[in-house]
Amino acid sequence: MIRIGQGFDVHQLAEGRKLIIGGVELPFEKGLLGHSDADVLLHAITDAILGAAGLGDIGHLFPDTDPEFKDADSIKLLQVANQKVLATGFTIGNIDCTILAEQPKMKPYLEQMKENIARACQIEADQINLKATTMEKMGFIGQEEGMGAIAVALLDK
């Protein structure tokens, strides 16, 4: 059985926060605001794999009302979600993602992000494709008020 899931996440940029994307801390004057570390890429991937397995979404598994997940490391959340997916008998075939951000440039960090995601999902880095794009200065992402990510995951049983 083959199933596909999609994930989408956005977070507002804020002063005094670290910018963590794909488990990599990027040098930038602002970070993403959220209950956890607000890693939009890992949140989108988590939603994609959970959705494909029929296991709900990141908010269901890790509610932002639960103090246990305050400032949580999203790599750890992805690892837990992946274990739940594996327990259903599914394995990840591939993951494809797009990061939506005006700046900073993501290209120098994409390989490390892929390695982090591969390790968390217990797959090979070549099963992951990462891209980044701007919003051409349009909307809240284009105006540098926030960042987003889109992900799809293919699961096989």
Side-chain angles (χ1 to χ4, degrees):
M1 175 189 316
I2 296 175
R3 296 179 78 176
I4 189 167
Q6 62 87 28
F8 173 74
D9 194 38
V10 293
H11 282 279
Q12 180 180 350
L13 280 163
E15 300 284 341
R17 296 274 301 185
K18 293 179 182 179
L19 179 60
I20 300 170
I21 308 286
V24 177
E25 186 176 334
L26 283 68
F28 197 61
E29 64 269 8
K30 292 182 180 178
L32 294 169
L33 189 59
H35 186 68
S36 67
D37 63 11
D39 188 325
V40 291
L41 177 59
L42 297 184
H43 293 183
I45 292 168
T46 301
D47 272 351
I49 67 170
L50 289 171
L55 297 174
D57 64 17
I58 193 170
H60 176 77
L61 200 57
F62 310 106
D64 64 6
T65 54
D66 188 333
E68 178 185 351
F69 305 117
K70 178 74 175 138
D71 298 321
D73 180 343
S74 294
I75 283 281
K76 292 179 181 169
L77 303 182
L78 178 57
Q79 288 170 333
V80 170
N82 184 59
Q83 289 305 310
K84 292 194 175 293
V85 168
L86 291 173
T88 67
F90 282 106
T91 58
I92 297 172
N94 75 299
I95 298 170
D96 187 29
C97 314
T98 304
I99 304 164
L100 310 168
E102 288 301 309
Q103 60 173 325
K105 294 295 182 195
M106 299 291 160
K107 188 174 183 177
Y109 309 101
L110 294 178
E111 286 305 313
Q112 182 59 54
M113 291 176 190
K114 281 175 67 169
E115 292 296 328
N116 291 343
I117 296 161
R119 209 171 18 261
C121 292
Q122 298 174 275
I123 59 176
E124 299 299 318
D126 66 2
Q127 291 173 266
I128 302 162
N129 188 57
L130 292 182
K131 306 169 293 292
T133 191
T134 68
M135 298 296 289
E136 301 294 331
K137 305 286 184 197
M138 296 183 294
F140 73 93
I141 293 173
Q143 296 298 312
E144 300 182 28
E145 296 172 10
M147 294 181 179
I150 303 164
V152 294
L154 182 74
L155 302 186
D156 190 26
K157 185 186 278 192

